[in-house]
Amino acid sequence: MVLAWYMDDAPGDPQQPHRPDPDRPVGLEQLRRLGVLYWKLDADKYENDPELENIRRERNYSWMDIITICKDKLPNYEEKIKMFYEEHLHLDDEIRYILDGSGYFDVRDKEDKWIRIFMEKGDMITLPAGIYHRFTVDEKNYAKAMRLFVGEPVWTAYNRPADHFEARGQYMKFLAQTA
């Protein structure tokens, strides 16, 4: 089951959990109302997993690759970690499946507050086009993830403010409908 919570406002290392006291957990239904979808899969059989294949077929996730985020495997690791953690949006959905390791996806709620989603081996998430978000590995400094796309991959991230994009406008309409 996914672990998600409202983040505290304390400055400091983004790779720490930033859980407030008292805790403010966020459930799957609240994430769904933001357009965030979640699955728990068996990452040990990702190469031949019928459940993953069904999801890919149903959602038209036709392209995929695997990225390893750690100092030894990712060129310009420090620069990339900073870039991933900049608040941004994409014009397409962002789909990530954690095959090993762990990290955090942070997404903005309807009131512009950060929700932190802890992702570990077997967790798969889809963030809708137009949602402001960011990513970081946790203190273990390691995550191996499958990246999926509908059609050809588009890697462009638009740092906030990016409210002028059609994808952001469509996302805001979606949020208004789920109020």
Side-chain angles (χ1 to χ4, degrees):
M1 192 62 165
V2 70
L3 292 175
W5 57 89
Y6 277 96
M7 291 181 69
D8 63 26
D9 292 329
D13 185 352
Q15 293 176 279
Q16 296 299 311
H18 287 276
R19 284 188 98 124
D21 185 18
D23 195 20
R24 297 181 54 212
V26 173
L28 277 177
E29 184 54 37
Q30 189 173 352
L31 292 174
R32 276 191 210 103
R33 286 194 303 269
L34 296 174
V36 176
L37 304 177
Y38 170 84
W39 297 266
K40 184 68 170 185
L41 302 172
D42 183 351
D44 289 329
K45 63 178 193 177
Y46 75 89
E47 294 179 86
N48 297 302
D49 184 356
E51 189 174 0
L52 175 61
E53 286 307 312
N54 284 340
I55 293 167
R56 289 185 67 185
R57 188 172 40 259
E58 288 170 8
R59 301 192 58 82
N60 294 316
Y61 298 160
S62 56
W63 188 94
M64 79 84 162
D65 77 348
I66 295 174
I67 184 173
T68 302
I69 304 168
C70 70
K71 290 178 184 175
D72 299 342
K73 303 269 184 182
L74 186 64
N76 304 315
Y77 173 81
E78 297 295 335
E79 178 183 311
K80 292 274 175 75
I81 286 294
K82 286 178 186 171
M83 183 181 73
F84 295 159
Y85 199 67
E86 286 288 320
E87 183 176 4
H88 64 276
L89 60 76
H90 300 283
L91 305 183
D92 297 296
D93 291 353
E94 180 165 326
I95 306 107
R96 298 293 182 268
Y97 177 19
I98 305 297
L99 302 176
D100 198 17
S102 49
Y104 301 110
F105 273 98
D106 300 336
V107 297
R108 291 284 191 178
D109 76 355
K110 292 180 182 183
E111 285 76 44
D112 215 32
K113 304 287 184 200
W114 282 117
I115 295 173
R116 175 151 276 194
I117 306 166
F118 176 67
M119 299 282 293
E120 62 185 346
K121 185 177 180 177
D123 291 337
M124 185 167 135
I125 195 170
T126 297
L127 303 179
I131 191 172
Y132 283 119
H133 66 281
R134 60 191 183 190
F135 173 81
T136 188
V137 289
D138 62 15
E139 62 276 357
K140 295 174 192 156
N141 284 312
Y142 174 75
K144 181 178 179 181
M146 179 184 290
R147 301 182 290 189
L148 297 132
F149 285 91
V150 175
E152 290 297 312
V154 179
W155 304 108
T156 308
Y158 298 95
N159 290 347
R160 191 170 188 171
D163 295 335
H164 62 284
F165 286 104
E166 182 180 343
R168 180 66 181 168
Q170 289 176 347
Y171 179 68
M172 297 305 292
K173 285 179 189 172
F174 166 80
L175 284 182
Q177 293 170 352
T178 62

